[in-house]
C-alpha cells in the first residue's frame, strides 16, 4: 500500500470539523496536525479526532516536514496569506470556500501554488 497523505488542518471550528469527519473516513488520509489561534480549541479538536499534534500558530504546522497537505478552514480574509505561506513550504493546499476575497488574491494564490 502506498503511503498515506499526511494532512494538517488550519482551523478548529465548524467547517474544519466537517473536513476532519470526512478525512477520517478516507483510508488514504492521515490527519497529523491541527492549528487554531485558540490553543484550547486546537487541543480539543486534536483530542476529538485523534490528531497527534496541535498548535496555536499555523506556521508551526507548516514547518512540519511530515505534513504533505493542508486544509485551510480559517476566516476568509486569511485564505490568501495562508495559502501562499503553505505553498512556499511545499505543501499541497485545499481551501474552504470562498477561495479568497478578490481576483488579485486568487492570482497570487495560484502563482504561489504553481511555483
Amino acid at each position: 500500500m502506498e503511503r498515506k497523505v499526511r494532512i494538517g488542518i488550519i482551523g478548529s471550528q465548524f467547517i474544519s470539523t466537517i473536513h476532519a469527519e470526512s478525512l477520517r473516513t478516507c483510508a488514504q488520509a492521515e490527519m497529523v496536525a491541527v492549528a487554531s489561534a485558540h490553543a484550547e480549541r486546537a487541543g480539543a479538536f486534536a483530542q476529538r479526532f485523534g490528531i497527534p499534534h496541535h498548535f496555536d500558530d499555523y506556521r508551526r504546522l507548516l514547518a512540519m516536514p511530515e505534513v504533505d497537505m493542508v486544509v485551510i478552514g480559517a476566516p476568509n480574509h486569511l485564505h490568501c496569506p495562508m495559502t501562499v505561506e503553505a505553498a512556499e513550504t511545499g505543501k499541497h493546499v485545499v481551501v474552504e470556500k470562498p477561495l479568497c476575497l478578490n481576483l488579485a488574491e486568487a492570482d497570487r494564490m495560484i502563482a504561489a501554488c504553481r511555483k
Side-chain angles (χ1 to χ4, degrees), residues 8-108:
I9 298 175
I10 301 175
S12 61
Q13 294 295 296
F14 175 74
I15 200 63
S16 294
T17 298
I18 291 171
H19 285 284
E21 288 173 349
S22 296
L23 287 167
R24 73 176 167 188
T25 68
C26 180
Q28 295 82 19
E30 177 184 5
M31 293 179 283
V32 297
V34 61
S36 172
H38 305 278
E40 65 282 351
R41 288 184 193 162
F45 192 96
Q47 184 174 11
R48 177 177 177 187
F49 292 101
I51 299 172
H53 303 281
H54 57 90
F55 306 105
D56 63 359
D57 183 344
Y58 73 93
R59 289 174 184 94
R60 292 183 62 198
L61 181 152
L62 295 179
M64 293 179 67
E66 57 264 48
V67 172
D68 302 312
M69 181 182 91
V70 295
V71 176
I72 300 175
N76 300 343
H77 71 280
L78 298 173
H79 290 182
C80 180
M82 287 179 170
T83 297
V84 170
E85 287 182 61
E88 288 172 348
T89 64
K91 311 294 188 225
H92 295 278
V93 183
V94 172
V95 183
E96 180 54 39
K97 65 181 183 173
L99 178 65
C100 54
L101 301 180
N102 55 57
L103 184 57
E105 285 187 351
D107 289 342
R108 188 172 161 219

